[in-house]
């Protein structure tokens, strides 16, 4: 996904004179050819993530469409106040593109993990959130995001599904069943499909949890049983489901990253197991709930 972002962003900088990129050292080497050719629109502010967002806000005020990029923990967690003030409060948009996701950077320790990024963005009004589950979904999402001026968060991961679904801005059923609908967000589709093999449930996929496809959810949730499987903090989208189904009886199971610091390094696969987000953990939670 990261390479897909570099390739697509480099092309957009070349093709669209309104597009700008702001970096804080992360991925600077990958964008060096673009920076040499367009030094006025590819800016590396050094290890100053708050400044990166401030610069993006300034570029947006001049009419450019800025894209800011770093690890999620530096881009969102560290610079949240600047996102709130220099973008949201100023009434301007930018495209924030992160890598690292919840625990993709776990071998570097907790400093490089951010399971809370989407929930932080969710506190601000009007943000679209895209969580591609396959490298093939990155280019269309980025191209669409740079074509307007609204705020967008694009969350990239090293985890990936087997198939790209370009139309997954809406809930896309990929397996049908009667007892529940299991919504898999982004790269959680692959483990969810493995976990639900043989279960009488509908599996629906989306790479766009914000805005959430509430109409699609209402159409699919005939049983009243909804399970959310998200690659960030468990319960991040629970309020959206609650609002969407407020007029009908329903049960909700929210699966995601646990709200605790494990004080462990490990690999992303280790963390998926520890947070019960591997197929075995997801299946155990679903079968106990159904």
């Amino acid at each position: 996904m990261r390479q897909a972002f570099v390739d697509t962003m480099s092309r957009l900088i070349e093709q669209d004179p309104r597009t700008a990129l702001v970096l804080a050292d992360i991925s600077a080497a990958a964008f060096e050819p673009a920076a040499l050719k367009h030094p006025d629109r590819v800016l590396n502010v050094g290890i100053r993530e708050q400044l990166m967002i401030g610069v993006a806000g300034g570029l947006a005020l001049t009419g450019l469409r800025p894209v800011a990029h770093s690890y999620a923990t530096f881009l969102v967690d560290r610079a949240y106040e600047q996102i709130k003030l220099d973008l949201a409060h100023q009434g301007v948009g930018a495209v924030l593109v992160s890598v690292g996701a919840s625990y993709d950077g776990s071998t570097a320790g907790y400093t490089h993990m951010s399971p809370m990024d989407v929930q932080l963005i969710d506190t601000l009004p009007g943000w679209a959130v895209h969580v591609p589950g396959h490298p093939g979904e990155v280019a269309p999402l980025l191209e669409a995001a740079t074509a307007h001026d609204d705020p967008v968060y694009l969350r990239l991961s090293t985890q990936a599904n087997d198939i790209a679904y370009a139309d997954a801005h809406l809930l896309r059923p990929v397996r049908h069943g009667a007892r529940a609908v299991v919504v898999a967000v982004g790269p959680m589709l692959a483990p969810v499909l493995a976990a639900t093999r043989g279960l009488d449930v509908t599996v629906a996929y989306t790479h766009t949890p914000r805005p959430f496809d509430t109409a699609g959810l209402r159409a699919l949730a005939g049983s009243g049983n909804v399970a959310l499987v998200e690659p960030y903090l468990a319960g991040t989208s629970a309020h959206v489901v609650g609002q969407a189904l407020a007029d009908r009886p329903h049960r909700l199971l929210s699966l995601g990253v646990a709200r605790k610091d494990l004080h462990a390094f490990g690999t992303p696969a280790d963390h998926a197991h520890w947070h019960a987000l591997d197929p075995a953990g997801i299946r155990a939670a679903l079968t106990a709930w159904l």
Side-chain angles (χ1 to χ4, degrees), residues 196-228:
T196 57
R197 191 173 292 117
L199 298 181
D200 185 19
V201 299
T202 291
V203 175
Y205 170 66
T206 185
H207 56 45
T208 300
R210 300 292 183 277
F212 196 92
D213 180 18
T214 54
L217 179 66
R218 289 178 62 85
L220 292 171
S223 69
N225 294 325
V226 178
L228 278 172

Side-chain angles (χ1 to χ4, degrees), residues 106-126:
S106 58
T107 55
Y110 202 55
T111 56
H112 284 62
M113 300 186 220
S114 179
M116 66 287 292
D117 56 339
V118 173
Q119 194 159 84
L120 282 170
I121 291 292
D122 211 21
T123 65
L124 302 172

